[in-house]
Amino acid sequence: MTWTRRTLVGLGLAAALTLGAPPGAQAHEEREVAFPDGSGSVPAYREGEPDLLVCKTDTAAFERRVSRFPDALRERNLRLYERCLGEGFRHLQQAVDAVDRPGMSIAVLPGRYEEEPSQPEPKGDCARLKARKSALGYQILSYAQQQQCPHNQNLVAVLGKRDLQIEGTGAGPLDVVVDAGYRKLNAIRADGSDGVYFRNFTAQRTTFNSLYVLGVDGFVIDRVLTRWNDEYGFLTFASDHGLYRDCESYGNGDSGIYPGSASDINSGRGHDVPRYSIEITGCRSHHNLLGYSGTAGDSVWAHDNEFDHNMAGASMDSVFPGHPGLPQNHARFERNLIHDNNQNYYRYVRDGTCARPPAERGYEQGVVCPQTSVPPGTGVIVAGGNWNVFEGNWVYGHQRTAFHLNAVPAFLRGEDAWSRQADTSHHNRFRDNHLGRARSGESRPNRTDVWWDGQGTDNCWQDTGDSSPRALPRCRNDTGAALGGSHRIVGEPMKVVQLLVCSDYNVQARRLPAGCDWYGARGLARIEVQLALGVAAVLAVVGGFLWWRRLRGNLLVTAATALGAAGLVLDVASETTALAPTVAGPLALLLIGVWLTATGLGLRHSSRAFGTTTVVLGLLTLLDAFERAFVMIPWTPLGPAWLRGLLGLVWVLWAVAASARPGGRGRSASPSADDPARVSP
């Protein structure tokens, strides 16, 4: 990065920091862990008789559970039950502890498993472990500490077991339930257990996540249901050769499916990807904060899933530090149903529900406690990701936008090098998606199809309906490459401010940022409207005073000033949610630009420097209007909005000084009085 670009980045970040920065909360804090070496493979499901059995001893209850099963499945369960009564275990953890070689399988018979021996609070040395605490208060334990005290945080701990298969034998996932009862961070934790295979059961009710897979090369999550957790349903972290298949998750305060820090196998590549580290297919994630999320969700292929009735459908980001593989890159979303993600669970934070103990919040009745800030009513969020592809998805029925893209400066993830600050939101492709239309063909429009902060290189979109900005770089139909493109190192200023204000959210402190419509701000309460109104008021007062003192005798300038006043009113109105995606914004800038240009021309004969500055300001405003309405100006590091804003500050001060100096009514003051460049020494 050249010195000039570094300076521009510095200016942009300095401006952002003066407005406030997002909090340092972390969505998921874990011990330092390295990616697997990639030598593993996705494990295959093993048929045949299980090595170990787990069941409860209430025979009458068991027989009631299996009585509705198909004949062959019922007979198999009855046969396994007789064997289990003689040689099996009563708790899943006991069976896991009995695994003594790779390649074993555990069959869990229908029943509810609360793992009572794992529930008590730690005692002795386990109560005195020394480890730093996360922002949420839990200890970040080393692998050795997890082995020493497996139930400090986990109801069931699968540590260092290779090629282990754990399967429920019921007709569906709800026939076998592992229930943490909100007593543990994790219901089931698989840590360093390459080749683990989970199938056909439910895990639920934790203070973090139901099923956690960490540092694993090779895993499958097959027909598993997770629900009612403070944070995640499924969390897989720093893992490779993973497969989620036919899973379901709901009622989670962060996301149903979280493949965070998936193995970063495609770093440094373009769109020519030889393989993905994690595949997600046939899953449904609904009624969560997010259906899918992944900080450093790298090289994830999500296809043929359904993400619906969340606050936002899917998100990938480079926001939170401590995640290997940042910045996020190379996710591919294909043929997914992403629809009706319009839930707004912030009300449960506002009314104090989420301040109660987890067991008293009412998760089972539909309460969700949002752990991070997202814009409700959004289909897909890319917050600082690169080389992502979204193709052939059905994205519809959203009250905000289908696709949201914004950049994230590297200092938020703990990297201070200037060369890294503008390294996100590049080379993303949004093409051939079915926007505003269900798979059945029914029209289900999104309020807007795209919201983009304007930052990044080589992003492109298909033809869309309403978008913000209205003019987007297009993708070539034959290759998918960007047609035109952009090279912005700082986003559009009003959107940068909005993101900074809206990010100041904290569920523990019950802090919902004022001024952000994500949390219910409307009309004049919204930060965008407040800023637009403030700028309009300053320009109206200063411009009106300048016209009255110097230019009211000029008919052309007077007419242009009337247009400018109308433009200022329209500019404020364009920041309302109803008019934001329309032509109101570009039209407002057009009227203001005409006013400023005419004013500058009227001043030039008597105050050349100030008049020229005013003309330049007007032309920048016109250029900003053109860019917003028609096409983004390619390969410019700063958009005209930033240049217009910086020059506008100078112009306002100069206009006040010029207007205040003595001069004839309705005419320009003497050149030496108004134009410092022409004052004699």
Side-chain angles (χ1 to χ4, degrees), residues 16 19-25 319-320 346 371-375 383 406-409 411-412 495-507 511-519 527:
L19 294 167
V319 176
F320 301 99
Y346 290 126
Q371 298 299 309
T372 59
S373 57
V374 301
N406 69 270
V408 174
F411 73 84
L412 290 181
K495 292 179 177 178
V496 170
V497 172
Q498 179 194 26
L499 291 170
L500 287 165
V501 169
C502 292
S503 66
D504 189 24
Y505 167 77
N506 188 295
V507 61
R511 185 172 68 242
L512 286 79
C516 178
D517 67 330
W518 302 2
Y519 308 97
I527 185 64

Side-chain angles (χ1 to χ4, degrees), residues 292-365:
Y292 164 106
S293 72
T295 301
D298 304 330
S299 300
V300 176
W301 180 28
H303 64 96
D304 303 287
N305 304 288
E306 185 171 12
F307 306 111
D308 66 289
H309 295 90
N310 306 283
M311 287 180 65
S315 172
M316 53 224 69
D317 71 84
S318 301
V319 176
F320 301 99
H323 289 61
L326 289 171
Q328 185 275 330
N329 64 90
H330 289 96
R332 185 176 187 90
F333 274 59
E334 291 184 295
R335 301 185 303 277
N336 301 287
L337 299 179
I338 305 171
H339 65 95
D340 298 295
N341 293 288
N342 300 310
Q343 300 296 315
N344 195 326
Y345 296 118
Y346 290 126
R347 66 184 183 275
Y348 296 123
V349 179
R350 187 177 291 107
D351 67 13
T353 298
C354 295
R356 302 171 187 166
E360 300 174 14
R361 293 173 185 169
Y363 287 160
E364 297 86 343
Q365 287 74 49

